[in-house]
């Protein structure tokens, strides 16, 4: 049989199971929303990009 190695982090993850399904594990960090993640990396949303590209096109081609 082949030996399997596991990291301490993985061991902690699999051994600190919540008592109930709806209960959060204490070792897990709450996840950010998509908007928070975008702002954290100085990104823009697809809607903002669309608005900016429309504005740029209107400046380049004013009659369209």
């Amino acid at each position: 049989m082949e030996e399997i190695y596991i990291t301490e982090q993985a061991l902690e993850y699999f051994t600190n199971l919540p008592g109930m399904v709806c209960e959060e594990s204490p070792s897990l960090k709450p996840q950010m929303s998509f908007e928070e993640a975008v702002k954290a990396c100085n990104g823009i949303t697809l809607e903002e990009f669309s608005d900016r590209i429309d504005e740029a096109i209107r400046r380049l081609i004013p009659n369209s």
Side-chain angles (χ1 to χ4, degrees), residues 10-22:
L11 180 63
E12 182 181 333
Y13 174 78
F14 289 115
T15 56
N16 289 333
L17 298 175
M20 298 176 62
V21 174
C22 62

Side-chain angles (χ1 to χ4, degrees), residues 44-62 64:
I44 61 171
T45 62
L46 188 57
E47 186 177 335
E48 289 173 310
F49 175 79
S50 177
D51 292 342
R52 289 181 185 184
I53 198 82
D54 287 344
E55 182 183 332
I57 290 171
R58 277 194 295 270
R59 280 189 275 140
L60 289 172
I61 309 169
S64 57

